[in-house]
Amino acid sequence: MTNIEKALALINTFATGDTEKAASLLAEGYIQHNLAYGTGRDAFVGSVQYLASAPVKTTVNNIRAFEDGDKVFLQTVYNFAGMGEQVAFDIFRFDADGKIAEHWDNLANKAEPNPSRRTQIDGTLEKDGSDKEATRKVVADFVGDILRGENPDNITNYFDGDKYIQHNTGIADGLSGLGKALAALAEQGIQMIYNKTYMVLADENYGLAVSEGTFGGAPTAYYDLFRVENGKIAEHWDVMETIADKETWANENGKF
């Protein structure tokens, strides 16, 4: 099995309840960064077992799958035990033995289409064979210059005019749509701040940036997936998740 196939097999155990499969895919010292769950292989297997016992079956619908070195990153729609659909980005790190050794994620409730009638998961699916390092640089530079605000005057350098497909639930297409949304937030006194970026993963023309900041003053994890075309940002999907208060954490590994 490829690492992507292993990652997909693991998340599908939430639907199948196959605890043996889950255990076989995980390293014994599996590190969990989802703050709602305990760390370790046994904790993950216990979650699979718990979902299998629920009266409503869990569903797992993977949308996009990518690989970068020892990491696989996925975009997936989950419905855990009938609690409602959630859009998620998962990142899995594999160890030298090919076992899944570490996991990070960000989840948000599935929402209605945005002002341009785009959803959190539709849009381009195909990869185009681009050099992933070129993609990583475009995404990393954009996140630093624009999202972290280090060189905001460079914003037009990252787009082909107003051509920009947006899947954020509250923002319309185009650089103009982004500007209007940020202006509306400012009028409400809401700031969207990116303070630190922990990793930028890339696979051909797609790059995922994992960042920490605040939204409206609340500690927030930002997962931003970009599709790059001809060196420009062409399409964007994201999941924002408020970081839970530390006293509620089920593990001590932290969100990042």
Side-chain angles (χ1 to χ4, degrees):
M1 296 173 72
T2 67
N3 284 351
I4 285 179
E5 289 170 340
K6 291 175 185 177
L8 294 175
L10 184 69
I11 64 173
N12 280 323
T13 64
F14 289 133
T16 65
D18 190 342
T19 54
E20 290 187 11
K21 171 64 75 174
S24 73
L25 292 165
L26 293 166
E28 185 176 356
Y30 172 76
I31 301 168
Q32 176 65 268
H33 293 275
N34 182 312
L35 302 175
Y37 295 92
T39 198
R41 181 170 61 191
D42 290 347
F44 189 100
V45 172
S47 298
V48 171
Q49 190 172 32
Y50 170 78
L51 290 171
S53 70
V56 178
K57 184 178 175 63
T58 291
T59 60
V60 177
N61 178 25
N62 178 254
I63 309 300
R64 294 172 176 87
F66 307 96
E67 185 171 4
D68 183 12
D70 65 352
K71 295 182 179 69
V72 166
F73 52 110
L74 309 175
Q75 184 190 40
T76 303
V77 178
Y78 295 103
N79 190 335
F80 292 106
M83 297 299 290
E85 288 188 309
Q86 292 181 296
V87 179
F89 285 111
D90 290 284
I91 301 170
F92 296 98
R93 178 179 64 82
F94 287 76
D95 65 16
D97 297 321
K99 300 288 188 179
I100 296 172
E102 194 164 6
H103 169 252
W104 303 259
D105 66 358
N106 235 29
L107 297 97
N109 291 335
K110 195 172 181 185
E112 294 298 315
N114 70 14
S116 293
R117 307 306 300 165
R118 303 190 190 278
T119 74
Q120 294 149 288
I121 58 172
D122 65 359
T124 310
L125 293 169
E126 297 79 14
K127 301 173 191 177
D128 70 357
S130 295
D131 174 48
K132 72 176 183 180
E133 295 307 328
T135 297
R136 195 192 317 275
K137 179 171 172 34
V138 171
V139 171
D141 289 351
F142 174 76
V143 171
D145 283 353
I146 310 307
L147 298 184
R148 294 202 307 270
E150 294 163 6
N151 294 288
D153 292 341
N154 290 346
I155 188 166
T156 57
N157 297 339
Y158 291 98
F159 298 93
D160 181 9
D162 203 38
K163 291 166 60 179
Y164 176 43
I165 300 171
Q166 177 64 262
H167 297 274
N168 179 284
T169 59
I171 304 177
D173 283 352
L175 188 53
S176 56
L178 178 61
K180 288 177 183 177
L182 293 177
L185 287 175
E187 287 181 5
Q188 299 172 62
I190 298 173
Q191 289 185 298
M192 182 171 64
I193 297 172
Y194 284 63
N195 292 321
K196 183 175 182 179
T197 301
Y198 289 87
M199 64 179 95
V200 177
L201 304 175
D203 184 352
E204 297 189 18
N205 55 321
Y206 290 84
L208 177 70
V210 175
S211 306
E212 179 179 14
T214 59
F215 185 80
T220 300
Y222 296 100
Y223 279 46
D224 292 279
L225 178 67
F226 300 94
R227 180 175 63 83
V228 175
E229 185 177 300
N230 298 321
K232 304 291 185 180
I233 301 292
E235 195 164 6
H236 170 249
W237 302 260
D238 68 339
V239 169
M240 296 166 44
E241 183 179 348
T242 301
I243 301 172
D245 293 336
K246 189 168 185 179
E247 56 267 23
T248 70
W249 294 4
N251 66 68
E252 296 298 321
N253 298 319
K255 183 71 173 172
F256 303 97

